[in-house]
Amino acid sequence: QVDLVESGGGLVQPGGSLRLSCVDSGNLFRFNAMGWYRQAPGKQRELVASIGPDYIIDYADSVKGRFTISRSNAHNTVYLQMNSLEPEDTAVYFCNAQSGHEHYWGQGTQVTVSS
């Protein structure tokens, strides 16, 4: 069973930071990759960052140099450190886990960047 639970969203001023966490109920190694997606109002869901079991990492161009994805296998947790946040980063952020052709999603956490 896969149970992804996100936390860490909230309201932050431009230039601020947040750290999102995604905790799974089981071992992260059963997934091909884990990642964070986001969906802003009226827009399609987009990949923000992903990390594989071999720690190969990929970022969307819009967040490179500002966001950092990491994982703690001991805690079954994937993190997204978000620095220098911009209003354009406002969205619901979803944790994703991929196993073969199956994708699993968390419930999402709202991130709002506004002064």
Side-chain angles (χ1 to χ4, degrees):
Q1 182 176 348
V2 178
D3 186 17
L4 305 174
V5 180
E6 302 107 332
S7 61
L11 173 64
V12 64
Q13 292 186 343
S17 298
L18 285 173
R19 188 176 81 156
L20 306 182
S21 299
C22 173
V23 181
D24 179 45
S25 56
N27 191 314
L28 299 184
F29 284 108
R30 68 187 190 280
F31 302 123
N32 302 112
M34 296 194 71
W36 290 93
Y37 287 70
R38 66 186 181 187
Q39 188 166 18
K43 295 187 177 181
Q44 290 189 331
R45 190 172 297 189
E46 63 175 357
L47 176 66
V48 176
S50 66
I51 183 168
D54 49 4
Y55 293 88
I56 292 178
I57 292 174
D58 188 31
Y59 293 103
D61 288 342
S62 59
V63 306
K64 284 181 180 176
R66 300 189 297 121
F67 290 11
T68 302
I69 189 171
S70 61
R71 58 190 285 164
S72 168
N73 297 322
H75 297 95
N76 297 330
T77 302
V78 176
Y79 303 98
L80 185 67
Q81 178 67 44
M82 305 185 294
N83 298 328
S84 301
L85 283 160
E86 303 168 352
E88 293 73 22
D89 296 316
T90 295
V92 178
Y93 285 70
F94 296 90
C95 180
N96 171 269
Q98 183 179 354
S99 177
H101 298 291
E102 294 289 334
H103 283 263
Y104 303 91
W105 298 92
Q107 81 285 356
T109 185
Q110 177 70 47
V111 172
T112 302
V113 185
S114 175
S115 56

